[in-house]
Amino acid sequence: MTIYATLDSPLGELLLVGEESATAKGGTALTSLSMPGQKRGVTVQRDWREDTEAFADIIRQLGSYFDGKLTRFDIEYTTSGTPFQQQVWQALEGIGIDHGTTLTYAQVADRVGIPRSASRAVGTAIGANPLLVVRPCHRVLGSSGALTGYAGGLERKRRLLDLENVRQAA
């Protein structure tokens, strides 16, 4: 069954969506974290059940992150996407775009093992990331170091980078 909760945050109200999971802390695997006005954001469906308690651990981690006390999430999640999207998303998690650092789309392409000329495809896959904040797509910048392409909006991307004390692009 799909469950959801909302959370007030410095970015506005976040919508957490998940599925029950026997292996996840608190029994919930996150499937989406979105915000109002987000490109490709999800909306609550009639057959979903609201259950804030099921997201207690995730909410605690997000609170610690927004308070500047947490730099790496420990959240079980499950998402669907194309094989290419999955490849890029796994790279975002595994290539070490650590808290407070950034990479360009071309650098992500390099680390995924695809030509830099595919940077736009990488950007499109990153833009389809259903797990804003917890999967660090906000840490990916344009080739000049400019803020580009964040599904939650560039103002929110800037706020997340400011929160992580990123002052200059990689």
Side-chain angles (χ1 to χ4, degrees):
M1 163 170 273
T2 302
I3 54 178
Y4 75 95
T6 58
L7 168 68
D8 287 328
S9 81
L11 303 175
E13 184 178 76
L14 302 179
L15 174 62
L16 304 146
V17 181
E19 298 288 335
E20 295 172 346
S21 169
T23 58
K25 290 180 185 176
T28 303
L30 191 64
T31 59
S32 175
L33 190 158
S34 59
M35 50 193 77
Q38 172 188 330
K39 294 177 188 173
R40 299 179 208 81
V42 300
T43 57
V44 175
Q45 304 298 305
R46 280 190 295 200
D47 60 336
W48 293 3
R49 178 175 50 88
E50 186 170 13
D51 187 350
T52 303
E53 185 56 35
F55 292 93
D57 184 65
I58 296 168
I59 290 170
R60 180 193 56 76
Q61 288 187 54
L62 286 164
S64 292
Y65 170 79
F66 288 123
D67 288 342
K69 298 175 184 170
L70 182 76
T71 60
R72 182 177 295 277
F73 293 99
D74 182 20
I75 295 172
E76 182 178 316
Y77 51 85
T78 178
T79 56
S80 59
T82 68
F84 182 73
Q85 288 171 335
Q86 294 284 350
Q87 179 185 10
V88 171
W89 297 340
Q90 287 172 1
L92 286 179
E93 297 156 13
I95 60 178
I97 309 179
D98 293 330
H99 186 275
T101 65
T102 61
L103 290 177
T104 66
Y105 292 98
Q107 289 171 314
V108 173
D110 286 344
R111 294 182 183 199
V112 172
I114 60 175
R116 283 181 170 233
S117 60
S119 293
R120 262 180 221 235
V122 168
T124 300
I126 290 171
N129 172 22
L131 298 172
L132 297 188
V133 183
V134 294
R135 185 180 284 140
C137 58
H138 60 278
R139 298 179 189 149
V140 183
L141 305 175
S143 60
S144 67
L147 294 183
T148 58
Y150 186 62
L154 294 182
E155 176 58 31
R156 287 181 176 131
K157 185 172 190 169
R158 167 51 52 212
R159 290 174 94 184
L160 288 167
L161 294 175
D162 286 347
L163 175 75
E164 296 181 8
N165 294 311
V166 173
R167 297 289 176 231
Q168 198 166 14

